[in-house]
């Protein structure tokens, strides 16, 4: 009898551990590090093969807090005449003609209480890849760093940037 | 300079090969180091209490246990000392273009391993002669155990940097930052699995001691069974919770489905150990040692594969060289390039910048990308800046085989600079 009880308790414990792991896995899955985008834009072709600089499309990165997705005018500058028969380009053209914005899914998101400026970082000479990883090698953009406080602070520390609370928590 | 610092930039195939090498070396190194640590700890404890209580059985078990686990120096060399440099090398190359950790981070675990192996060999040869150990030999055993444990801990600190590459620049600036909860969780998990495995190994001694030695007989068998079973059960019961802790402390960027699947096999294997030792006993002559040891070795394999998958995920998409070093290099390269001699150097420099960020998207000098190669089209302007500027401002389709050039979004001074740059750069442009 005692043995059965112990066995049941231990089985419950093992089950609980597996359930906890499944829960952690689900949490990770929900955070979705590489979301599907409305248009499957391949950075491998543009930033990789063609070696287009990031700022060619993300024009605001040097002068604004947010890097921003490029206006469709930039895409259409080339794609009015290039690869117009591809499925994804046709999708792009439709968005452009219907004057609808593309609802890109966020890959990196910071909470509201964080002040972050792309401009400051670009001006300080931080390469895009230092935070966003080797985007030129990604067919589908994937989050390679979690923008959490420890991560920010460690880089600020190494580069001798301000570590005052008010720098980020305005 | 770090002796393991070699020119960086490896092909993806080489990196993959190194990752397999690392996994294989870890699979030799970690279980074996674990057996040595757990076995010598058990032997030292038994020896201490055996002498205190004048208990021959404990003393004999203490000797047989160290014989079973700490083996001879050649095996120590083969499984502990040889795989370690391979691990250090693979880790180092895995870190790619980032400058590596200070040499001490790689050499300290090796020194500890070497000292540990030597001291444990001394302890083993002393206990072979007599179980009534002199304090010096007992001290050597304890020091050896401490050295081996710290070698294991330092190795886990190193491996911890693989799942959190973003932290490397920080570790270089201050080595204290190499400490991480993840490494600690992995180290405790390693100890739990090691004690379980040492339990499994001592269970293999069952049924081998019929020779009527001192402290032998059924009582001794019982002692072996109790010691082995309790260690293996303790290992199997703590491992699942520790794997959960391991996953909680794992950086999110290291996670993937494979990591969770690998981690989930540990509780299943641990359950098998529990069933084998607790639910299916009764047969006194049963010898579950082989099966229990094999299950623990599989758990080691699962954890190593899980950790390597996590390291692979964490490195996926990371640039080969980041951080202040790349920035420093860029500054250095800039300085080395020197200043152009011409009077319009500043304009040309500006033109180059505009070309690199805007025009180079479609144009190269010597080859066709989207637009035609500039070496072919720019000479047609025969040095006429105004004409070229006119085309750049309002491009028109010239060659029907090529797409029309979009109007570039650049200012008038940039149009001027880039036109001058192109004419100066192309042969026959002027």
């Amino acid at each position: 009898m005692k043995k059965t009880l112990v066995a049941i308790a231990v089985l419950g414990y093992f089950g609980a551990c597996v359930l906890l792991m499944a829960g952690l896995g689900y949490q990770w899955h929900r955070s979705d590090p590489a979301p599907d985008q409305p248009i499957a834009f391949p950075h491998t072709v543009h930033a990789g093969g063609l070696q287009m600089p990031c700022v060619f499309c993300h024009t605001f990165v040097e002068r604004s807090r947010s890097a921003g997705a490029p206006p469709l005018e930039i895409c259409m500058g080339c794609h009015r005449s290039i690869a117009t028969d591809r499925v994804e380009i046709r999708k792009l053209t439709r968005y452009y003609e219907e004057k609808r914005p593309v609802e890109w899914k966020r890959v990196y998101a910071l909470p509201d209480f964080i002040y972050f400026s792309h401009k400051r970082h670009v001006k300080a000479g931080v390469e895009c890849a230092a935070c966003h990883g080797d985007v030129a090698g990604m067919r589908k953009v994937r989050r390679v760093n979690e923008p959490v406080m420890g991560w920010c602070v460690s880089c600020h520390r190494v580069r001798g940037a301000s570590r005052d609370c008010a720098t980020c928590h305005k | 300079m770090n002796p393991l610092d070699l020119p960086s930039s490896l092909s993806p195939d080489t990196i993959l090969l190194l990752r397999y090498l690392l996994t294989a070396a870890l699979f030799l190194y970690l279980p074996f180091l674990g057996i040595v640590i757990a076995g010598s700890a058990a032997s030292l404890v038994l020896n201490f209490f055996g002498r205190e209580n004048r208990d021959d059985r404990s003393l004999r078990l203490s000797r047989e246990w160290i014989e079973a686990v700490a083996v001879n120096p050649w095996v120590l060399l083969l499984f502990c000392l040889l795989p370690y440099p391979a691990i250090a090398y693979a880790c180092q190359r895995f870190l790619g273009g980032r400058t590596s950790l200070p040499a001490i981070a790689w050499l300290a675990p090796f020194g500890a391993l070497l000292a540990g192996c030597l001291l444990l060999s001394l302890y083993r040869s002393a206990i072979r002669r007599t179980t009534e150990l002199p304090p010096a030999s007992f001290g050597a055993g304890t020091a050896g155990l401490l050295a081996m444990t710290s070698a294991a801990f330092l190795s886990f600190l190193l491996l911890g940097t693989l799942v959190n590459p973003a932290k490397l620049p920080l570790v270089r600036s201050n080595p204290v930052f190499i400490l991480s909860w993840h490494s600690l969780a992995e180290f405790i998990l390693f100890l739990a699995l090691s004690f379980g495995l040492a339990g499994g190994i001592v269970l293999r001694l069952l049924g081998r001691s019929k020779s009527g030695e001192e402290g032998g007989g059924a009582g001794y068998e019982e002692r072996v069974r109790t010691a082995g079973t309790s260690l293996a059960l303790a290992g199997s019961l703590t491992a699942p919770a520790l794997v959960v802790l391991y996953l909680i402390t794992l950086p999110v960027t290291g996670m993937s489905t494979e990591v969770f699947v690998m981690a989930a096999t540990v509780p299943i294997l641990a359950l098998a150990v529990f069933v084998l030792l607790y639910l299916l006993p009764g047969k006194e002559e049963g010898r579950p040692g082989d099966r229990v040891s094999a299950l623990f070795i599989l758990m080691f394999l699962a954890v190593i594969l899980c950790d390597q998958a996590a390291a692979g995920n964490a490195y996926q998409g990371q640039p080969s060289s980041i951080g202040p070093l790349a920035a420093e290099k860029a500054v250095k390269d800039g300085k080395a390039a020197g200043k152009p001699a011409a009077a319009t150097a500043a304009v040309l420099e500006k033109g180059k910048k505009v070309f690199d960020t805007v025009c180079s998207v479609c144009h190269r000098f010597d080859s066709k990308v989207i637009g035609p190669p500039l070496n072919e089209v720019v000479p047609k302007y025969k040095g006429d800046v105004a004409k070229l500027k006119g085309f750049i401002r309002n491009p028109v389709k010239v060659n029907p085989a090529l797409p029309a050039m979009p109007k570039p979004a650049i200012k008038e001074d940039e149009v001027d600079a880039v036109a001058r740059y192109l004419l100066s750069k192309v042969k026959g442009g002027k």
Side-chain angles (χ1 to χ4, degrees):
Chain A
M1 184 62 196
K2 189 182 156 216
K3 199 166 177 173
T4 321
L5 281 178
V6 171
I8 289 172
V10 169
L11 275 178
Y13 159 75
F14 279 102
C17 285
V18 174
L19 272 181
L20 259 172
M21 283 179 205
L24 286 170
Y26 178 68
Q27 201 190 6
W28 163 77
H29 181 73
R30 253 185 38 161
S31 77
D32 205 0
D36 284 328
Q37 301 290 357
I39 296 176
F41 175 83
H43 276 90
T44 37
V45 173
H46 296 85
L50 294 171
Q51 296 190 334
M52 293 167 66
C54 308
V55 289
F56 185 84
C57 301
H58 301 279
T59 44
F60 308 119
V61 74
E62 288 172 322
R63 39 197 160 113
S64 152
R65 276 177 63 183
S66 65
L72 294 189
E73 187 63 49
I74 291 190
C75 314
M76 293 306 289
C78 296
H79 283 296
R80 268 199 196 92
S81 44
I82 296 169
T84 45
D85 52 341
R86 304 244 174 101
V87 181
E88 298 299 315
I89 304 298
R90 273 197 237 136
K91 244 195 254 177
L92 168 78
T93 316
R94 208 158 47 241
Y95 274 108
Y96 180 71
E97 283 167 355
E98 292 172 7
K99 292 191 166 32
R100 270 189 307 136
V102 183
E103 289 177 22
W104 300 107
K105 293 267 169 57
R106 260 187 178 285
V107 181
Y108 294 86
L110 283 169
D112 292 346
F113 54 87
I114 300 301
Y115 176 85
F116 173 82
S117 164
H118 270 96
K119 177 181 156 185
R120 292 263 159 232
H121 289 84
V122 174
K123 292 252 147 101
V126 182
E127 298 146 65
C128 307
C131 304
H132 294 284
D134 180 23
V135 175
M138 297 180 198
R139 213 174 158 73
K140 185 175 169 193
V141 173
R142 177 174 169 270
R143 191 163 64 240
V144 295
N145 285 304
E146 283 302 312
V148 291
M149 190 167 149
W151 178 71
C152 298
V153 171
S154 53
C155 191
H156 272 226
R157 196 189 175 98
V158 170
R159 291 172 189 258
S162 163
R163 274 184 284 147
D164 193 292
C165 308
T167 306
C168 309
H169 302 281
K170 294 214 188 232
Chain B
M1 173 158 168
N2 192 326
L4 291 160
D5 254 352
L6 292 168
S8 60
S9 77
L10 293 172
S11 71
D13 290 342
T14 323
I15 294 265
L16 196 67
L17 192 70
L18 277 172
R19 282 185 56 194
Y20 287 133
L21 174 72
L22 179 62
T23 312
L26 282 175
F27 187 53
L28 279 184
Y29 175 70
L30 288 180
F32 194 77
L33 187 62
I35 295 173
V36 173
I37 289 175
S40 47
S43 164
L44 282 162
V45 169
L46 281 172
N47 189 278
F48 180 74
F49 285 107
R51 276 185 296 144
E52 292 284 303
N53 305 331
R54 305 254 135 244
D55 180 358
D56 282 347
R57 285 174 195 156
S58 293
L59 287 175
R60 182 179 160 201
L61 181 57
S62 138
R63 193 187 68 222
E64 293 206 346
W65 211 328
I66 194 83
E67 292 273 322
V69 300
V71 292
N72 65 48
W74 289 111
V75 182
L76 280 174
L77 185 75
L78 200 64
F79 286 86
C80 276
L81 294 177
L82 283 185
Y84 179 76
I87 292 166
Y89 179 76
C91 281
Q92 180 87 354
R93 298 318 310 263
F94 208 19
L95 302 180
R98 309 134 201 271
T99 351
S100 41
L101 295 168
I104 184 81
W106 305 98
L107 296 177
F110 193 64
L113 271 182
L114 213 61
C117 288
L118 273 173
L119 289 165
L120 283 180
S121 297
L122 282 178
Y123 170 70
R124 179 172 163 273
S125 50
I127 206 168
R128 261 183 170 177
R129 286 193 295 273
T130 166
T131 47
E132 290 289 333
L133 282 176
S137 303
F138 189 79
T142 318
L145 172 66
L146 279 177
M148 288 301 229
T149 316
S150 34
F153 184 65
L154 292 173
S155 304
F156 278 106
L157 289 183
L158 276 187
L159 291 173
T161 60
L162 289 185
V163 293
N164 201 354
K167 217 176 70 166
L168 272 176
L170 190 64
V171 176
R172 271 200 303 270
S173 73
N174 188 348
V176 171
F177 287 109
I178 202 173
L179 292 168
S180 68
W181 290 114
H182 179 72
S183 299
L184 187 66
E186 208 181 354
F187 176 66
I188 301 174
L189 173 61
F190 160 79
L191 286 184
L193 293 182
S194 304
F195 276 99
L197 182 54
I201 286 189
V202 87
L203 283 176
R204 295 180 68 236
L205 294 177
L206 283 177
R208 289 188 187 173
S209 54
K210 300 289 181 197
S211 52
E213 293 173 74
E214 87 279 17
Y220 176 68
E221 287 267 304
E222 194 48 45
R223 175 65 54 88
V224 170
R225 188 179 293 276
T226 319
T229 310
S230 14
L231 272 189
L233 275 180
S236 70
L237 287 178
T238 45
L242 290 169
V243 172
V244 173
L245 189 67
Y246 168 88
L247 287 177
I248 290 174
T249 53
L250 182 68
V252 185
T253 43
M255 291 179 180
S256 67
T257 316
E258 298 85 49
V259 170
F260 286 103
V261 170
M262 280 297 163
T265 52
V266 174
I268 296 168
L269 292 168
L271 182 66
V273 173
F274 176 75
V275 169
L276 214 59
L277 289 178
Y278 188 77
L279 296 182
L280 298 177
K283 290 172 275 175
E284 284 302 308
E285 66 281 4
R287 288 173 55 193
D290 290 342
R291 268 169 286 173
V292 170
S293 309
L295 283 168
F296 273 105
I297 286 176
L298 283 178
M299 279 187 243
F300 263 106
L301 186 62
V303 172
I304 290 167
L305 288 177
C306 177
D307 205 47
Q308 288 310 301
N313 295 332
Y315 267 86
Q316 193 191 338
Q318 290 283 347
S320 56
S321 108
I322 56 160
L325 292 147
E328 277 163 28
K329 193 173 167 286
V331 170
K332 227 185 272 168
D333 289 351
K335 275 183 189 157
K339 287 177 192 163
T344 51
V347 175
L348 293 182
E349 188 66 24
K350 188 173 168 190
K352 182 179 184 323
K353 204 179 153 208
V354 174
F355 177 80
D356 287 346
T357 47
V358 183
C359 316
S360 68
V361 172
C362 301
H363 293 286
R364 299 286 183 279
F365 284 99
D366 48 359
S367 60
K368 174 185 173 284
V369 180
I370 289 166
L374 294 175
N375 285 342
E376 280 177 22
V377 291
V378 173
K380 291 179 187 166
Y381 292 90
K382 297 190 177 111
D384 189 342
V385 180
K387 200 173 163 194
L388 180 54
K389 272 159 72 175
F391 180 83
I392 295 173
R393 265 185 234 118
N394 285 306
V396 283
K397 193 156 176 155
V398 179
N399 183 346
L402 293 170
M405 172 168 149
K407 201 172 155 177
I410 52 177
K411 295 189 204 106
E412 185 51 39
D413 56 329
E414 291 171 328
V415 173
D416 181 68
V418 80
R420 285 175 195 283
Y421 168 72
L422 290 180
L423 290 173
S424 75
K425 183 95 176 153
V426 175
K427 231 185 196 174
K430 273 188 173 169

